Amino acid sequence: MTPPSIASRLLPWYQQSGRHDLPWRQSRDPYLLYLAEIMLQQTRVETVKPYFRRFLARFPSWQALADASLDEVLALWSGLGYYARARNAHAAARMVVDRFQGEFPTDLVQALELPGVGRSTAAAVLASAYGQRQAILDANARRVLFRYHGLTGSMRSPQNERLLWQLAEQETPAMAHDYNQAIQDLGALLCLSRKARCDECPLLGPCAGPCEPTQIPQPEKPVRYACFLLLRTEDGCVLLEKRPNRGIWGGLWALPWYALAGANEVPELAETLRNWAREEYGLRPQLGEWHSWQRHTFTHFHLEYRVIEADISVYGVGEGRRALFPFAPEQLAQLALPSPLRRLFS
């Protein structure tokens, strides 16, 4: 038997117990709503809050974000991770200003043309900013619908993806804004991936499907190893390179990175690093302190790394295949840096 609809019982609970104090829920401004949706992708609410406030203070409008340099945007995003989101937000702001007269598109098809904007993100903004009946399917809503309607198999299978979108559209009432916020909050607060708090659920009755964890266990992340060269010039500047826009830490400033096969020291590693620095960057570094191993976790792997300090003189700088740029210590705090390097420099 098909379970009764969700909205009639979910909305009263949301009015009483929803997260109305979230900073992006204080406005129906599509720019604020868009920014929150982008930042919240794969990132916890408590992590996003301070970034959202700082970002909005510096870039309060589409125009302000479009006028900024990508370096400025990445610097303010630094530490939030998933940097493609920042690059997409910057490109989307320019598209909104150039093609849509400075307004988030009111049409779903046009909204999906913005870089980094998927169906659920576009729908969330359209429902909240413009009052449209648009269904969302973020991770929380997906989990609630999957359990409530008793689906089986992988939540991400093509068949279940189609079914979940059908159910999302079926369950979403005409006043979609509050409902979309409510189903997100139900998933975030009660219908948890693990240890769902079913006894507090406002849907009043068992779901058609069991409330055990619905995520497929993830395999152990592989580990990669690297050395970072912390190169200092005679006048105390640190040499950094700009990472490519695609790939790890895309568009950020970083130390030169030498990949290792494992954590064990290879024979003559110091000589290998000196040769590598000469061939790649045209430098002849004098290696100094070797820092202890550290770990940084990415989405798909762990990075075990150690920093090796080195000095260079102006006479050791030549022509290499890749460019390095000097920054005085007081400039480092203003750069778009990966969080491990920001911690190192601070």
Side-chain angles (χ1 to χ4, degrees):
M1 186 174 76
T2 302
S5 65
I6 292 174
S8 61
R9 288 165 295 161
L10 186 56
L11 291 173
W13 170 84
Y14 173 69
Q15 293 303 321
Q16 173 106 21
S17 304
R19 298 176 294 179
H20 303 285
D21 61 338
L22 296 179
W24 44 87
R25 290 189 179 174
Q26 312 305 310
S27 171
R28 296 293 184 94
D29 183 334
Y31 174 66
L32 274 66
L33 297 168
Y34 160 83
L35 185 60
E37 289 293 327
I38 295 299
M39 286 188 165
L40 287 165
Q41 291 172 0
Q42 303 185 69
T43 307
R44 295 175 61 253
V45 164
E46 292 306 314
T47 302
V48 166
K49 281 181 180 179
Y51 282 90
F52 179 80
R53 293 190 179 99
R54 288 196 295 267
F55 205 86
L56 199 57
R58 173 62 184 84
F59 309 119
S61 65
W62 294 110
Q63 188 69 59
L65 181 54
D67 288 344
S69 69
L70 182 56
D71 275 352
E72 289 181 279
V73 175
L74 288 170
L76 213 54
W77 199 280
S78 180
L80 192 57
Y82 302 101
Y83 293 98
R85 296 178 300 172
R87 297 193 297 274
N88 285 334
H90 186 241
R94 293 189 167 183
M95 185 179 290
V96 167
V97 169
D98 294 341
R99 289 185 50 189
F100 300 115
Q101 294 74 54
E103 297 289 343
F104 191 89
T106 58
D107 176 73
L108 179 62
V109 173
Q110 288 185 321
L112 291 173
E113 295 177 16
L114 297 175
V117 172
R119 181 177 174 182
S120 189
T121 297
V125 176
L126 294 175
S128 295
Y130 302 132
Q132 296 183 14
R133 183 182 181 271
Q134 296 281 358
I136 65 165
L137 197 62
D138 75 334
N140 288 313
R142 181 186 303 273
R143 186 166 59 254
V144 171
L145 293 172
F146 188 91
R147 289 171 169 173
Y148 188 70
H149 288 279
L151 303 188
T152 58
S154 169
M155 280 194 288
R156 293 288 183 175
S157 71
Q159 179 183 7
N160 278 336
E161 184 76 7
R162 289 191 296 270
L163 285 172
L164 285 165
W165 272 112
Q166 292 172 8
L167 292 169
E169 292 169 349
Q170 168 189 308
E171 296 285 3
T172 303
M175 301 300 290
H177 166 73
D178 280 354
Y179 172 80
N180 288 345
Q181 309 299 316
I183 197 168
Q184 286 178 322
D185 283 3
L186 181 63
L189 300 176
L190 300 181
C191 193
L192 305 173
S193 176
R194 300 184 183 278
K195 297 184 180 179
R197 297 160 60 181
C198 299
D199 56 337
E200 302 175 49
C201 182
L203 301 185
L204 303 175
C207 291
C211 287
E212 71 257 8
T214 52
Q215 295 183 352
I216 299 173
Q218 296 297 310
E220 185 68 24
K221 290 182 179 180
V223 181
R224 300 182 190 176
Y225 301 89
C227 291
F228 294 148
L229 278 185
L230 176 52
L231 298 161
R232 288 194 178 92
T233 63
E234 286 185 327
D235 57 0
C237 288
V238 174
L239 296 183
L240 301 176
E241 66 178 341
K242 192 72 174 292
R243 299 284 299 174
N245 279 339
R246 296 181 64 86
I248 296 167
W249 292 333
L252 275 63
W253 291 95
L255 296 174
W257 170 334
Y258 181 79
L260 296 170
N264 295 328
E265 300 291 354
V266 298
E268 301 179 348
L269 177 58
E271 186 62 26
T272 299
L273 290 173
R274 282 192 288 266
N275 291 337
W276 170 73
R278 183 174 63 253
E279 293 170 4
E280 291 295 314
Y281 303 102
L283 303 178
R284 299 180 185 276
Q286 299 297 317
L287 301 185
E289 180 183 357
W290 293 55
H291 292 216
S292 60
W293 286 98
Q294 304 288 327
R295 170 173 283 201
H296 181 74
T297 297
F298 292 93
T299 307
H300 301 299
F301 68 95
H302 301 294
L303 177 66
E304 298 276 353
Y305 67 93
R306 67 185 310 176
V307 175
I308 301 170
E309 297 194 26
D311 294 321
I312 60 168
S313 69
V314 292
Y315 306 105
V317 179
E319 292 295 327
R321 291 193 286 259
R322 293 153 65 179
L324 290 170
F325 299 86
F327 292 94
E330 60 271 18
Q331 294 177 293
L332 296 173
Q334 308 305 317
L335 297 178
L337 298 170
S339 53
L341 299 189
R342 189 170 294 281
R343 289 194 298 270
L344 173 69
F345 293 143
S346 65

